[in-house]
Amino acid sequence: MTNIGKNLQTVLHQITEAEKAANREPGSVRLVAVSKVQPAEAIEEAIKSGQKIFGENWVQEARDKYVPLKEKYPDIELHLIGALQTNKALDAVKLFDVIQTLDRPGLAVEIAKAIKKTGKTPRLYVEVNIGNEKQKAGISPEDLAAFLKECKEKHGLEISGLMCIPPANEDPLIYFNKMKFLTTTHHLPHLSMGMSADFQSAIACGATEVRVGTAIFGTR
Ligand SMILES: *Cc1c(COP(=O)(O)O)cnc(C)c1O
């Protein structure tokens, strides 16, 4: 049986220590608890331990679990961190407080439409394919400036952050530093990077949000 409350305390402590080590302001890094595949009971245990920010990968699964949870706990903040299909953009805008995976022009069009239709304005981050990997989603670093401009000027979207998943089995530091450079260049307040295995390095490089699943909920 996984001790979610205790794991949360450990991760929060590690975040605090990493902030200190990097001379970052205390509380400048927010923990997104990644609850994909986890049952509602596990999420509720995390909520009762004080956690308020959660990340999910799939719209349908998130809706099934979080519509009731948000009714019961209205101050939950829900982030979409998985790939978003264009035909699910409307559902995503209705459900999520933050969409971290805006990764292509066609999706920007649909998110803009959904925002007009619903009047809801989730925070939006652009996913960057920081390693320029063929199989991976995201805007390449070279195309980021043009994409941000297109989002703003063509679709009226306010982008407030960047997110990335660096290449697996490589030292992530060089990629985390590139991401920090990009967020600074474009004056964006939010930078989402770092998972269970590398969130402390991500904090050293300037992450403002880390996405941690396994270290809180156990293996999936
Ligand atoms: C699953 C997932 C995470 C959490 O990964 P852990 O290794 O379990 O901490 C973070 N970000 C994204 C995009 C994910 O899909």
Side-chain angles (χ1 to χ4, degrees):
M1 181 66 205
T2 313
N3 192 337
I4 292 167
K6 186 157 166 282
N7 292 347
L8 258 172
Q9 288 314 307
T10 303
V11 171
L12 287 170
H13 179 72
Q14 289 168 326
I15 290 174
T16 304
E17 292 300 309
E19 284 172 342
K20 267 191 215 154
N23 281 318
R24 308 256 325 256
E25 202 153 310
S28 54
V29 179
R30 305 186 332 141
L31 172 62
V32 179
V34 175
S35 55
K36 61 170 173 248
V37 181
Q38 304 298 339
E41 300 75 53
I43 299 166
E44 199 157 3
E45 200 177 325
I47 295 169
K48 285 180 177 152
S49 306
Q51 181 63 24
K52 291 193 163 63
I53 310 173
F54 292 89
E56 282 280 337
N57 286 59
W58 302 286
V59 175
Q60 185 62 50
E61 180 188 338
R63 196 167 48 188
D64 292 346
K65 293 190 296 192
Y66 280 89
V67 167
L69 280 170
K70 276 187 151 193
E71 240 161 65
K72 201 163 166 192
Y73 306 98
D75 57 347
I76 285 178
E77 184 180 296
L78 188 59
H79 293 223
L80 179 64
I81 62 166
L84 178 55
Q85 288 172 260
T86 314
N87 63 3
K88 301 251 171 73
L90 181 61
D91 288 338
V93 165
K94 284 182 186 161
L95 178 66
F96 290 93
D97 303 291
V98 182
I99 295 176
Q100 297 203 0
T101 48
L102 173 49
D103 63 357
R104 57 195 194 280
L107 184 57
V109 172
E110 293 307 313
I111 288 176
K113 271 193 213 160
I115 287 173
K116 279 209 186 80
K117 190 165 178 180
T118 59
K120 295 200 75 181
T121 51
R123 223 155 72 217
L124 300 174
Y125 303 170
V126 168
E127 180 172 357
V128 178
N129 186 355
I130 195 63
N132 270 322
E133 295 173 278
K134 280 220 165 57
Q135 80 285 7
K136 231 176 222 173
I139 302 291
S140 76
E142 296 71 34
D143 296 337
L144 181 63
F147 184 67
L148 289 171
K149 190 163 188 270
E150 178 179 337
C151 283
K152 184 172 180 189
E153 293 177 4
K154 216 165 146 192
H155 309 300
L157 293 177
E158 188 191 331
I159 307 298
S160 65
L162 302 178
M163 81 84 90
C164 79
I165 307 168
N169 311 316
E170 271 186 61
D171 186 343
L173 273 181
I174 175 171
Y175 301 106
F176 288 159
N177 280 317
K178 282 186 184 173
M179 289 296 294
K180 172 64 180 171
F181 175 78
L182 291 171
T183 47
T184 306
T185 302
H186 296 289
H187 310 289
L188 299 168
H190 301 288
L191 175 54
S192 168
M193 59 186 190
M195 320 204 311
S196 291
D198 56 17
F199 68 90
Q200 285 134 313
S201 310
I203 292 169
C205 297
T208 63
E209 279 167 20
V210 293
R211 311 179 305 264
V212 178
T214 311
I216 298 168
F217 295 107
T219 47
R220 290 181 291 269

